[in-house]
Amino acid sequence: MRDLCAAAVDAATATGAEYADARVVLKRSQLVATKNGRVDRMTDAESQGIGVRVLVDGAWGFACDRRLTDEGARDAALRACTFARAAAGRHVRTLAPVERHTGRHESKAEQDPFAVPLADKVDLCLRADAALAGPDVIVRQAMVRAQREHKLLLSSEGTEVEQVLTECGAGIDCAASRDGVFQVRSYPSAAIGSSRQSGWEFVDGLRLADEAPRVAEQAAALVRADPCPSGITTVVLDGDQVALQVHESVGHPTELDRVYGTEASYAGTSFLRPGDLGSLRYGSEHMNITADPTTSGGLGSFGFDDEGVPAQRTPVVEAGRLTGFLTSRETAARIGAGGGGSMRADGWNRMPLVRMTNLHIEPGEGTLDELLADVDDGIYMETNRSWSIDDKRLNFQFGTQIAWEIKNGERGRMLRDATYTGITPEFWGSLDAVAGRDSWRLYGLTNCGKGQPGQSAHVSHGAAPARFRNVQVGVKA
């Protein structure tokens, strides 16, 4: 791997690149899914190749090759330089300085998920699938997944870092229907389950078959539940929904490439501006957001990003004030703050982009019950069902799978079709409590899309239940 990367970098610099880096990536991905008692999907795929990124006369160029040979590496480097020279106009780009790093990072895994036989994975899914059976349940699904990525990055500045990242995850969901009402219930998170950088011990700990009866019972109860009323009220969100709220209304708008407009044609822009750093009031004093790729088990964890910047914990919002962006070396140099550290590609055939790593809302104090106890009249919402947010990440509407009335500090009747809407800084400004460390959990997402051609990033968010005052729920009259 090292010789191939060196051959690519040498070829690029020899033909005039002022900067070059090369990544060799070997990836294996596995998925087993069942539906209504039968195997629905089973995949076990491997890919390998080299990606070369260059800076020539101030313009970026990128090319890749699936051949892990000297010829493939050099061809990719020369094509990347050709693409950079073909860029129209005059270009000036500065990269934030980074120290030369050499090292190796490997995520922790007690039990290799690829050593677990496929037959055992199928059996686990079928047992969980069967345990979802119940009145009015019409669709039952279970899935398990695993991925290992082995990559080496070498740059013309002398950085040489190798990383092996192993992750796995699982989830179940079911759908119930009665009298024209259709409802879905999931565990431990909606649609894609939950994943972590870990070994198979994480999947075992989810205890899918044990949780399935509760999931089925709630799905059946939801089709009989009253719809969520409309109005302005106090809302308490479970940690899973808070995690998605952080992702959509804090993570994406603080990606500095979006702020500068370079993702406008596909992923959108941001309501934030470079001059907002250090001054914009993003939310209340209870809002503290941290980007932390050093988090143990996070899907966005690494030793070094795909520019060779070492992982480090960075405040993004402190006591409600915007104090940081998610940056590349280029955007950090442009804004004059930070040093990069958020650049990742989802494979050897993609150019690195500014991506969320692990973005957490820091815990406050107390428990979920204590958050509820301070609510005379409100709604508690749990597990995301839908999300909609504009391309500036400003106006949004989210829905959850299940909700309960809060009356005099306690949960009351179950509600279905719960939604809430808001404007990002106003909504976060209404935050008046986040539960404490004992309620804080790590949630993993594997479907964060960005870029052209599209890339899917794996990210994690640490979150605890949180309370928001004066929130519009349901459809505004």
Side-chain angles (χ1 to χ4, degrees):
M1 291 173 68
R2 186 196 181 284
D3 290 344
L4 293 175
C5 288
V9 169
D10 289 346
T13 54
T15 195
E18 58 256 38
Y19 170 84
D21 59 42
R23 287 178 297 112
V24 168
V25 182
L26 314 176
K27 183 185 289 188
R28 182 180 179 187
S29 302
Q30 192 179 80
L31 172 72
V32 174
T34 62
K35 184 176 182 179
N36 289 348
R38 302 182 65 178
V39 175
D40 186 49
R41 286 176 292 163
M42 185 183 297
T43 60
D44 194 343
E46 296 184 12
S47 69
Q48 62 180 31
I50 184 169
V52 183
R53 187 179 66 145
V54 301
L55 199 56
V56 180
D57 296 330
W60 286 113
F62 176 81
C64 56
D65 204 299
R66 65 177 65 253
R67 297 172 296 168
L68 292 184
T69 63
D70 285 349
E71 182 182 10
R74 287 201 268 297
D75 281 355
L78 295 177
R79 280 186 284 117
C81 291
T82 299
F83 295 151
R85 290 192 177 93
R90 297 174 58 84
H91 305 275
V92 178
R93 281 185 169 86
T94 302
L95 304 183
V98 61
E99 293 183 14
R100 170 185 173 183
H101 290 283
T102 59
R104 189 177 191 277
H105 171 81
E106 185 166 358
S107 60
K108 296 179 181 178
E110 294 178 13
Q111 184 180 9
D112 182 359
F114 291 99
V116 178
L118 274 172
D120 291 353
K121 295 172 180 176
V122 170
D123 179 67
L124 171 61
C125 287
L126 288 174
R127 285 189 290 110
D129 185 313
L132 287 168
D136 301 319
V137 173
I138 59 172
V139 180
R140 311 184 312 271
Q141 298 183 102
M143 78 88 184
V144 297
R145 61 168 298 273
Q147 177 178 291
R148 176 171 292 122
E149 185 179 63
H150 183 185
K151 58 185 177 181
L152 177 72
L153 169 70
L154 192 148
S155 81
S156 57
E157 297 173 330
T159 286
E160 182 180 330
V161 291
E162 183 179 11
Q163 303 188 83
V164 181
L165 306 176
T166 300
E167 61 184 53
C168 57
I172 55 175
D173 55 48
C174 67
S177 179
R178 179 184 175 89
D179 297 332
V181 177
F182 181 87
Q183 297 292 309
V184 176
R185 196 72 181 100
S186 307
Y187 168 83
S189 190
I192 55 172
S194 188
S195 295
R196 188 170 294 186
Q197 278 190 14
S198 174
W200 196 249
E201 61 276 6
F202 174 68
V203 174
D204 283 339
L206 291 176
R207 301 173 62 85
L208 297 182
D210 293 338
E211 294 288 343
R214 174 187 61 83
V215 173
E217 289 171 7
Q218 289 186 346
L222 278 169
V223 296
R224 296 165 170 80
D226 293 328
C228 177
S230 300
I232 295 176
T233 189
T234 296
V235 169
V236 179
L237 303 179
D238 78 316
D240 181 56
Q241 182 63 28
V242 172
L244 184 69
Q245 185 76 50
V246 168
H247 182 95
E248 299 293 352
S249 66
V250 184
H252 282 307
T254 57
E255 294 166 342
L256 194 51
D257 57 343
R258 292 179 61 122
V259 173
Y260 282 125
T262 55
E263 280 290 324
S265 64
Y266 178 68
T269 58
S270 172
F271 73 92
L272 299 173
R273 296 292 177 264
D276 291 335
L277 186 64
S279 61
L280 181 115
R281 173 57 66 180
Y282 212 115
S284 76
E285 67 275 14
H286 302 285
M287 183 187 186
N288 295 281
I289 306 289
T290 306
D292 188 3
T294 70
T295 305
S296 178
L299 293 182
S301 296
F302 48 74
F304 306 87
D305 79 344
D306 284 344
E307 290 189 307
V309 178
Q312 58 183 335
R313 180 181 172 91
T314 304
V316 175
V317 178
E318 296 180 90
R321 193 173 300 279
L322 178 69
T323 57
F325 285 109
L326 306 178
T327 64
S328 63
R329 292 178 63 192
E330 178 186 348
T331 56
R334 184 172 176 180
I335 200 172
S342 297
M343 286 285 274
R344 291 193 291 157
D346 77 353
W348 55 270
N349 57 351
R350 295 292 186 266
M351 190 169 179
L353 302 171
V354 176
R355 304 307 300 261
M356 279 174 265
T357 55
N358 305 306
L359 196 68
H360 310 315
I361 181 166
E362 298 298 323
E365 297 180 353
T367 65
L368 172 59
D369 286 343
E370 289 173 320
L371 262 60
L372 298 175
D374 197 24
V375 179
D376 293 330
D377 186 36
I379 297 177
Y380 170 64
M381 299 185 181
E382 189 175 288
T383 312
N384 181 258
R385 178 174 179 171
S386 64
W387 68 94
S388 176
I389 190 165
D390 68 26
D391 62 1
K392 290 186 177 183
R393 303 285 150 163
L394 187 60
N395 299 280
F396 64 82
Q397 180 185 69
F398 293 126
T400 62
Q401 291 183 357
I402 194 167
W404 287 268
E405 275 187 333
I406 309 170
K407 292 293 185 182
N408 300 317
E410 296 184 353
R411 275 194 268 187
R413 61 173 175 150
M414 181 184 292
L415 301 171
R416 61 175 170 87
D417 302 328
T419 62
Y420 66 97
T421 61
I423 299 171
T424 293
E426 293 180 5
F427 179 78
W428 285 108
S430 73
L431 173 69
D432 81 336
V434 180
R437 176 63 62 179
D438 290 345
S439 301
W440 194 88
R441 302 286 184 272
L442 196 61
Y443 300 90
L445 306 173
T446 58
N447 62 341
C448 177
K450 188 177 178 180
Q452 289 179 299
Q455 299 190 38
S456 183
H458 296 186
V459 304
S460 284
H461 302 288
R467 187 175 64 219
F468 301 83
R469 304 287 188 180
N470 300 315
V471 176
Q472 174 70 51
V473 301
V475 179
K476 187 175 182 179

